[in-house]
Amino acid sequence: MATIRLENITKKFKDITALKNVSFAVEDGEFFCLLGPPGAGKTTTLRTILGLERQDEGIVYIDGENVNKVHPSRRDIAMIFQNLALYPDKNVFDNIASPLRARELEEEDIKTRVVDVAKKLKIDWLLEKTPGQLSGGERQRVAIGRAIVRQPRAYLMDEPLSNLDAKLRLKMRVSMKELQSELKQTFVYVTHDQVEALSMSDRIGVLDEGVLQQIGNPEDIYRNPGNMFVAKILGNPSMNFIKCSVGKEAGAINVKHSSFTLTLEEKALKKAVQDSRNVGSEVTLGIRPENITIFVEKQGDGTVPAEIYVTEPLGNKTIVDVKIGEEIIKVITQAAFPGKPGQNIWLRMKESKFHLFDTESGNYLFHASEDSPLRVN
Ligand SMILES: Nc1ncnc2c1ncn2[C@@H]1O[C@H](COP(=O)(O)OP(=O)(O)OP(=O)(O)O)[C@@H](O)[C@H]1O
Ligand SMILES: [Mg+2]
């Protein structure tokens, strides 16, 4: 059992600052995902928790204890790496048993623990095989088994599924989640795959260029992204961004695009837009592809004229690239979508699902909701 807390961690490699003032706390038994693109600082974060990297500034706490001066081997945390290295000549049993043998446990104890772990991971029928005789997913389970068998206080996992093919990843995602709920132990799981992060985590920390952008549960981060980076990294296809400008009509502030105008009834929104930007300046409107509906016939108020650019049928749905003014945005629609490129269409965007961002800083200005929608005119 363990809590892990990072307080103002900064880590430099010569002129590269890999982590900038990173702080977060992982609760006991929590499945915490660190999500970020290549080079974001994810591995560096894990290595710092483990003690393989020494931070330049800040403190790592494990179970409330400052472990800055505690040797990695005494932090009692297991790390599972992306490129797992199993002993090729040893069978699965001996691979899993190796950390226990290193500790000189009784052979009887070892057997009980290895078999127990192998059952948990559903690889107990493979104990006599060598790694060369296993599939990628099975090898991954053996590597996980070797980490679990030590019964550490917490687990750090560095993209453990990234070497597996898509189908296997899906299967392993479910087993990782099952495993964690069974072990009820603290997991810090690193990935650049937003689906993994959304589907497995209790909470996600989004990291970019060494800066922690936002922390929250998957639903909250998805619904209320703090900035355009977070908005973009979650969701597939990702959120559409539409360039707009702040306007003013009859004394009321609005958000203008060449194809539509959004009126701002909500006080908070007026304040957000007015405070940050003057009339005439640029803001970015965000809307996710699943929150737009396509109509082939003109509808009533609130629909926006557009044109089909490309359609991409994907079996269970179709992604349609749509031209709205000079911009192309994506819409998720039904499988058998009849539209053709070049065809004029109308879009209805869910008024409770808009986001407004400051174009320059990328920070959010406003998230619309059922209670405070943005009206399309
Ligand atoms: N030992 C090192 N020496 C110099 N620079 C390093 C070292 N380790 C990491 N870096 C740099 O620090 C930054 C963060 O690297 P890190 O490996 O933590 O990223 P990451 O998020 O794990 O990326 P990936 O998804 O590619 O694994 C990168 O710019 C990287 O080049
Ligand atoms: Mg990495």
Side-chain angles (χ1 to χ4, degrees), residues 159-257:
E159 313 217 24
L161 309 185
S162 64
N163 286 342
L164 307 179
D165 67 53
K167 224 171 169 175
L168 202 51
R169 289 172 72 120
L170 191 73
K171 220 168 120 191
M172 285 296 288
R173 273 209 312 260
V174 178
S175 358
M176 295 294 284
K177 189 67 200 157
E178 279 173 5
L179 178 69
Q180 198 263 347
S181 36
E182 197 172 320
L183 292 172
K184 295 187 179 62
Q185 273 180 311
T186 313
F187 274 42
V188 184
Y189 187 102
V190 156
T191 182
H192 63 266
D193 180 340
Q194 53 100 20
V195 180
E196 273 185 21
L198 286 174
S199 62
M200 298 197 297
S201 335
D202 294 315
R203 283 188 310 151
I204 301 173
V206 180
L207 196 63
D208 183 40
E209 294 186 351
V211 178
L212 199 56
Q213 306 287 320
Q214 191 171 358
I215 299 180
N217 67 44
E219 191 184 315
D220 187 38
I221 289 206
Y222 192 80
R223 286 199 183 178
N224 303 310
N227 61 37
M228 286 167 71
F229 180 84
V230 176
K232 194 101 190 158
I233 200 170
L234 295 172
N236 183 27
S238 55
M239 187 185 284
N240 294 301
F241 292 137
I242 305 171
K243 281 191 191 130
C244 294
S245 59
V246 179
K248 198 170 187 179
E249 231 163 82
I253 298 285
N254 58 22
V255 171
K256 270 191 174 308
H257 179 265

Side-chain angles (χ1 to χ4, degrees), residues 310-326:
V310 181
T311 62
E312 192 188 344
L314 293 177
N316 62 347
K317 62 186 172 199
T318 303
I319 295 172
V320 186
D321 285 20
V322 162
K323 224 172 150 198
I324 173 169
E326 289 306 302

